[in-house]
Each structure stands twice: as structure tokens, then as C-alpha cells.
Amino acid sequence: AQSVAQPEDQVKVAEGNPLTVKCTYSVSGNPYLFWYVQYPNRGLQFLLKYITGDNLVKGSYGFEAEFNKSQTSFHLKKPSALVSDSALYFCAVRVDHGSGNTGKLIFGQGTTLQVKP
Amino acid sequence: DTAVSQTPKYLVTQMGNDKSIKCEQNLGHDTMYWYKQDSKKFLKIMFSYNNKELIINETVPNRFSPKSPDKAHLNLHINSLELGDSAVYFCASSPRRPGITEAFFGQGTRLTVV
């Protein structure tokens, strides 16, 4: 079965320090991986995705993620955290349904990032 | 110029009632979804429609009935509401084109059943 795991419920970092939010996946076939962020009382915002190609993916707001096939991981990173990065982060894998480029997202359980001033 | 909009944003209702949540997207996408986020923030897909056709139904109780009058709208009707239906419901859409594309989410509808 396809699944995504985020092993940390919460990550705390000081502003200006690098941050990492971990994600591992289990899929059959090629993994299509996504990171979304959810601010309080808001919807999910897309950050970045890995489909194929370069293992280091750059996304919105200075975030990047590293795809590691051997470790089946897709960790989210940022070189210098901001207080405004504090939010709930979700890793997801897309599972296609039939043909025609339709599918669903299977989400990890989410990781709360807290950036302290 | 909200891309994916849901109404209402908050919904408080009594057990046994029937309620609807509406969703509209102005992105020209062919595929729309409903996701449920429970009290532990866990997100799970409920339904997916592609150009008004039901594609995915993730073993959701038949008290939940999605309706897509056109490809820009996907409404969710819930009959005989139960306490366990309390959650945040997110609508999303994605384009149907070659390549893997991300989904765009609405702001969510927080449903509270009392």
C-alpha cells in the first residue's frame, strides 16, 4: 500500500537556523512527492514537488526538498528559518487512478514547525 | 479572484440534520476533490470528480453525496449528520494535462456537529 510518514509531530528551531522536516514514503512505481503548508485556519498551500530529474527541488518561500531514492525520503529544508514559517507541514504522495492524469494525494500525518525568535 | 472557494467557512449544526458545502474553482481545472481533515489534522481523500464524472470514492458512508453540476463546481451534501462528521472539509482542484500537477486547495469548511 502507498503511504507517507512524517516521523516528527513537531520541529522547533530558532530563527535564522536551518530547518529540516522529515518525510519518508512507500510506493510502488515512481514516486510523485509533494510538500504543502497549512497556516492556522487556512487551506493548504503548495510548496514544491518532485516528479523526476534533479534530486534537489526548489520551491516557494525559499524552501527546498531533497529526494533520496535509496532512503525513500523526501525531506523539506530551508537554510534560514523565519518566524513566519511556523505552520503545519504535510508531505504527500500522489497515487494515480486509471489513466488520464487523475489521482489522489496520500498525506503524511503532518509536522508542526515552530520557529522561535 | 479566489482560485478555489468554499462556502460556508464555518458550519455548526445539530445531529440528524442535512447540510451542504459548496465549492467552486475558477482555474479551468477538470478534476476536483473533497478531502477531510480530522481533529488530529490527518487529511484523507473522500471523492474525486473529473469533468463531472465520479472517479474516486474512498469508502465514504453513503450519507455523503457529492454532486458536480459542471466541472467548475463540486458540492458535498451530508445527510443525517453525526458527531463524528465534525471535521474540516477541503475542496481542491487540479488540471488534467500531461505531467504530474499539484492540487489547489480551498480554505476549508469547519463543520461542527452538536
Side-chain angles (χ1 to χ4, degrees):
Chain A
Q2 329 277 15
S3 65
V4 175
Q6 294 177 242
E8 302 156 316
D9 288 336
Q10 189 171 45
V11 170
K12 295 181 181 179
V13 298
E15 188 173 32
N17 283 0
L19 69 88
T20 298
V21 183
K22 295 180 180 178
C23 172
T24 59
Y25 65 89
S26 174
V27 300
S28 55
N30 294 322
Y32 304 127
L33 298 160
F34 299 78
W35 275 101
Y36 283 84
V37 59
Q38 184 179 19
Y39 296 100
N41 299 314
R42 300 290 297 276
L44 280 78
Q45 296 179 29
F46 168 76
L47 282 178
L48 49 80
K49 66 184 176 186
Y50 173 83
I51 305 302
T52 186
D54 196 346
N55 288 344
L56 184 64
V57 179
K58 294 190 183 295
S60 306
Y61 313 120
F63 283 94
E64 57 190 28
E66 187 170 8
F67 172 70
N68 187 318
K69 188 174 183 178
S70 62
Q71 296 184 2
T72 60
S73 67
F74 188 54
H75 300 332
L76 182 70
K77 301 181 180 184
K78 187 172 182 180
S80 178
L82 299 172
V83 172
S84 57
D85 292 331
S86 298
L88 180 58
Y89 289 80
F90 288 98
C91 182
V93 63
R94 174 173 158 139
V95 176
D96 278 351
H97 179 90
S99 61
N101 195 31
T102 58
K104 64 183 180 184
L105 291 171
I106 295 176
F107 287 90
Q109 58 268 51
T111 298
T112 299
L113 173 65
Q114 185 178 4
V115 182
K116 296 186 174 180
Chain B
D1 56 344
T2 305
V4 182
S5 59
Q6 299 178 226
T7 54
K9 190 173 182 179
Y10 299 97
L11 183 55
V12 181
T13 187
Q14 291 186 328
M15 276 194 305
N17 283 352
D18 303 338
K19 290 293 179 185
S20 291
I21 306 171
K22 295 184 177 182
C23 178
E24 176 182 7
Q25 54 93 5
N26 62 5
L27 298 167
H29 292 169
D30 293 284
T31 308
M32 296 186 71
Y33 313 82
W34 279 108
Y35 284 84
K36 179 180 179 180
Q37 186 174 43
D38 63 21
S39 59
K40 296 183 178 180
K41 306 293 187 182
F42 186 68
L43 277 157
K44 186 175 180 182
I45 191 164
M46 300 174 68
F47 301 103
S48 170
Y49 267 74
N50 190 31
N51 200 14
K52 304 192 296 177
E53 178 186 357
L54 178 65
I55 301 296
I56 296 173
N57 181 340
E58 286 284 312
T59 60
V60 178
N62 57 16
R63 297 183 295 104
F64 291 79
S65 53
K67 286 183 172 60
S68 182
D70 55 63
K71 75 173 191 177
H73 296 83
L74 180 61
N75 304 322
L76 183 64
H77 188 75
I78 315 171
N79 290 326
S80 303
L81 278 155
E82 301 176 358
L83 292 176
D85 297 332
S86 295
V88 180
Y89 292 85
F90 286 102
C91 179
S93 71
S94 64
R96 184 181 179 184
R97 60 171 184 240
I100 304 300
T101 54
E102 62 271 21
F104 293 77
F105 284 78
Q107 287 197 317
T109 296
R110 182 176 294 276
L111 171 66
T112 303
V113 182
V114 297

